[in-house]
Amino acid sequence: MIGITILVVALVLVVAVGFFLKSRNGAVRARPATAPGTSTDRLALLRGAGVESVGGGPVVLHFSADWCGPCAAVRRVVGQVVTTMASAPRPPLEVELDIDHEAALAREMSVLSLPTTFILDGDLTERFRVSGVPSAGDLEAALVPLSGPSEPKSGNPG
């Protein structure tokens, strides 16, 4: 009887963890506000990999590999969103990096699975992270505030 109880408890825990992980797959998660800014090591690795913000706009950085099946779906979704937002005041830039060629940067950014996508602001600070394939709507919603005017307009007439 004890063995069956242990088996049932273990099964329930495994199912609960599976549902938790599935719920996070593809979700755009904001970086905690209390997290420190971008380190100089990370900036050096980003710039060494060719990641630069153009005109202060956001960068959609996604890690992929030749052997990663879902990475093609991320490529399509990110390409669609970047094309849709091309007329924004500060349009987003797409950068795809092969995890095998940029292993040091992947370690620095704590990439544990593929595909993993980051939304970086104009200073190359991580603002959002997505594990799995994001939806176009969620990705665009995260990019819109970062793609707006660079200086907020004052409502004070003067």
Side-chain angles (χ1 to χ4, degrees):
M1 186 66 178
I2 292 176
I4 292 175
T5 304
I6 291 172
L7 180 65
V8 168
V9 169
L11 183 61
V12 168
L13 285 173
V14 167
V15 169
V17 168
F19 279 124
F20 173 73
L21 292 176
K22 184 169 176 62
S23 72
R24 291 176 49 115
N25 189 31
V28 177
R29 298 184 314 271
R31 182 172 188 240
T34 58
T38 304
S39 71
T40 54
D41 291 342
R42 181 177 285 190
L43 277 175
L45 287 169
L46 284 166
R47 292 202 170 111
V51 180
E52 292 285 337
S53 174
V54 176
V59 176
V60 181
L61 170 64
H62 52 107
F63 284 91
S64 64
D66 293 338
W67 45 266
C68 172
C71 293
V74 171
R75 198 173 298 120
R76 283 191 302 274
V77 170
V78 171
Q80 171 190 349
V81 171
V82 167
T83 301
T84 300
M85 296 185 67
S87 62
R90 293 181 296 150
L93 176 69
E94 176 186 8
V95 177
E96 181 177 359
L97 296 177
D98 188 301
I99 194 167
D100 296 325
H101 293 113
E102 299 296 338
L105 179 58
R107 271 191 306 277
E108 172 67 27
M109 297 187 80
S110 301
V111 176
L112 301 176
S113 63
L114 288 180
T116 298
T117 304
F118 296 92
I119 298 175
L120 310 175
D121 64 15
D123 297 326
L124 300 181
T125 301
E126 179 183 334
R127 299 291 294 272
F128 298 94
R129 170 189 290 253
V130 182
S131 297
V133 181
S135 73
D138 289 346
L139 192 59
E140 188 170 347
L143 285 166
V144 164
L146 301 174
S147 297
S150 58
E151 295 179 1
K153 304 219 176 182
S154 173
N156 197 356

